[in-house]
Coordinates of all heavy atoms in Angstrom, one line a residue:
S617 N 110.7 97.4 121.8 CA 111.1 98.4 120.8 C 111.9 97.5 119.6 O 112.3 98.1 118.6 CB 112.0 99.4 121.2 OG 113.2 98.8 121.9
D618 N 112.0 96.2 119.7 CA 112.7 95.4 118.8 C 112.3 95.6 117.3 O 112.9 95.9 116.3 CB 112.7 94.0 119.1 CG 113.6 93.7 120.1 OD1 114.3 94.6 120.7 OD2 113.6 92.4 120.7
L619 N 110.9 95.5 117.1 CA 110.4 95.6 115.8 C 110.5 96.9 115.2 O 110.8 97.1 114.0 CB 108.9 95.1 115.7 CG 108.2 95.1 114.4 CD1 108.9 94.1 113.5 CD2 106.8 94.6 114.6
G620 N 110.3 97.9 116.0 CA 110.6 99.3 115.5 C 111.9 99.6 115.1 O 112.3 100.3 114.2
T621 N 112.9 99.1 115.9 CA 114.3 99.2 115.6 C 114.7 98.5 114.2 O 115.4 99.1 113.4 CB 115.2 98.5 116.7 OG1 114.9 99.1 118.0 CG2 116.7 98.7 116.4
A622 N 114.1 97.3 114.0 CA 114.4 96.7 112.8 C 113.8 97.5 111.6 O 114.4 97.6 110.5 CB 113.8 95.3 112.7
F623 N 112.6 98.0 111.7 CA 111.9 98.8 110.8 C 112.7 100.1 110.4 O 112.9 100.6 109.3 CB 110.5 99.0 111.0 CG 109.6 98.0 110.6 CD1 108.6 97.4 111.5 CD2 109.5 97.5 109.3 CE1 107.8 96.4 111.0 CE2 108.6 96.6 108.9 CZ 107.8 96.1 109.7
A624 N 113.3 100.8 111.5 CA 114.0 101.9 111.2 C 115.3 101.7 110.5 O 115.6 102.4 109.6 CB 114.3 102.5 112.6
L625 N 116.0 100.6 110.8 CA 117.1 100.2 110.1 C 116.8 100.0 108.6 O 117.6 100.4 107.7 CB 117.9 99.1 110.8 CG 118.5 99.3 112.1 CD1 119.0 98.1 112.8 CD2 119.6 100.3 112.1
L626 N 115.9 99.1 108.4 CA 115.6 98.7 107.0 C 115.1 100.1 106.2 O 115.4 100.1 104.9 CB 114.5 97.6 107.0 CG 114.9 96.3 107.6 CD1 113.7 95.4 107.7 CD2 116.0 95.8 106.6
S627 N 114.3 100.8 106.9 CA 113.8 102.0 106.2 C 115.0 103.0 105.7 O 115.0 103.4 104.6 CB 112.8 102.8 107.1 OG 112.4 104.0 106.5
S628 N 116.0 103.1 106.6 CA 117.1 103.9 106.3 C 118.0 103.3 105.1 O 118.4 103.9 104.3 CB 117.9 104.2 107.5 OG 119.1 105.0 107.2
Y629 N 118.1 101.9 105.2 CA 118.9 101.1 104.3 C 118.4 101.3 102.9 O 119.1 101.5 101.9 CB 119.1 99.8 104.7 CG 120.0 98.9 103.8 CD1 121.3 98.9 104.0 CD2 119.4 98.1 102.8 CE1 122.2 98.1 103.2 CE2 120.3 97.3 102.0 CZ 121.6 97.4 102.2 OH 122.4 96.6 101.3
F630 N 117.0 101.1 102.8 CA 116.4 101.2 101.4 C 115.9 102.5 101.1 O 115.4 102.8 100.0 CB 115.2 100.2 101.5 CG 115.4 98.7 101.6 CD1 115.1 98.0 102.6 CD2 116.2 98.2 100.5 CE1 115.4 96.7 102.7 CE2 116.5 96.8 100.6 CZ 116.2 96.0 101.7
Q631 N 116.1 103.4 102.0 CA 115.6 104.9 101.8 C 114.1 104.9 101.3 O 113.8 105.6 100.5 CB 116.5 105.6 100.8 CG 117.8 106.0 101.3 CD 117.6 107.1 102.4 OE1 117.2 108.3 102.1 NE2 117.9 106.8 103.6
E632 N 113.4 104.1 102.1 CA 111.9 104.1 101.9 C 111.2 104.3 103.2 O 111.5 103.6 104.1 CB 111.5 102.6 101.3 CG 111.9 102.4 100.0 CD 111.1 103.1 98.9 OE1 110.1 103.6 99.2 OE2 111.5 103.3 97.7
P633 N 110.3 105.3 103.4 CA 109.6 105.5 104.6 C 108.6 104.4 104.9 O 108.1 103.7 103.9 CB 109.0 106.8 104.5 CG 108.7 106.9 102.9 CD 109.8 106.2 102.2
L634 N 108.3 104.2 106.1 CA 107.2 103.2 106.5 C 105.9 103.8 106.1 O 105.8 105.1 105.9 CB 107.3 103.0 108.0 CG 108.6 102.2 108.5 CD1 108.5 102.1 110.0 CD2 108.5 100.8 107.9
P635 N 104.8 103.0 106.1 CA 103.5 103.6 105.8 C 103.2 104.8 106.8 O 103.5 104.7 108.0 CB 102.5 102.4 106.1 CG 103.4 101.3 105.8 CD 104.8 101.6 106.3
E636 N 102.6 105.8 106.3 CA 102.3 107.1 107.2 C 101.4 106.6 108.2 O 100.4 105.8 108.1 CB 101.8 108.1 106.3 CG 101.7 109.4 107.0 CD 101.4 110.6 106.1 OE1 101.1 110.3 104.9 OE2 101.3 111.7 106.5
K637 N 101.6 107.2 109.5 CA 100.8 107.1 110.6 C 100.7 105.6 111.1 O 99.7 105.0 111.3 CB 99.4 107.6 110.4 CG 99.3 109.1 110.3 CD 97.9 109.5 110.0 CE 97.9 111.1 109.7 NZ 96.4 111.5 109.6
S638 N 101.9 105.0 111.1 CA 102.0 103.5 111.4 C 102.9 103.5 112.6 O 103.6 104.4 113.0 CB 102.7 102.7 110.4 OG 104.0 103.2 110.1
I639 N 102.7 102.3 113.5 CA 103.3 102.2 114.7 C 103.8 100.7 114.7 O 103.0 99.8 114.4 CB 102.5 102.5 115.9 CG1 103.3 102.4 117.2 CG2 101.3 101.7 116.0 CD1 102.6 103.0 118.4
A640 N 105.0 100.5 115.1 CA 105.5 99.0 115.2 C 105.6 98.6 116.7 O 106.2 99.3 117.6 CB 106.9 99.0 114.6
L641 N 104.9 97.4 117.0 CA 104.9 96.8 118.3 C 105.2 95.3 118.3 O 104.3 94.6 117.8 CB 103.5 97.1 118.9 CG 103.0 98.5 119.0 CD1 101.5 98.5 119.3 CD2 103.8 99.3 119.9
G642 N 106.5 95.0 118.6 CA 106.8 93.6 118.7 C 108.3 93.4 119.1 O 109.1 94.3 119.2
E643 N 108.5 92.1 119.3 CA 109.8 91.8 119.8 C 110.3 90.8 118.9 O 109.6 90.0 118.3 CB 109.6 91.0 121.3 CG 111.0 90.5 121.8 CD 110.8 89.8 123.2 OE1 109.6 89.9 123.7 OE2 111.7 89.2 123.6
I644 N 111.6 90.7 118.6 CA 112.3 89.8 117.7 C 113.2 88.8 118.5 O 114.0 89.2 119.2 CB 113.1 90.6 116.6 CG1 112.2 91.6 115.9 CG2 113.8 89.7 115.6 CD1 113.0 92.5 114.8

């Protein structure tokens, strides 16, 4: 869940949603 966690934090910080119907799968 590392990559998804990073994307969620960045998305909230920049107030920009991720691409619609996307899924994050990766380790940091």
Side-chain angles (χ1 to χ4, degrees):
S617 63
D618 286 355
L619 186 58
T621 302
F623 273 126
L625 292 172
L626 292 173
S627 175
S628 177
Y629 182 83
F630 292 115
Q631 281 298 290
E632 291 284 343
L634 292 173
E636 193 172 2
K637 296 182 180 180
S638 63
I639 187 171
L641 303 170
E643 181 182 350
I644 300 178

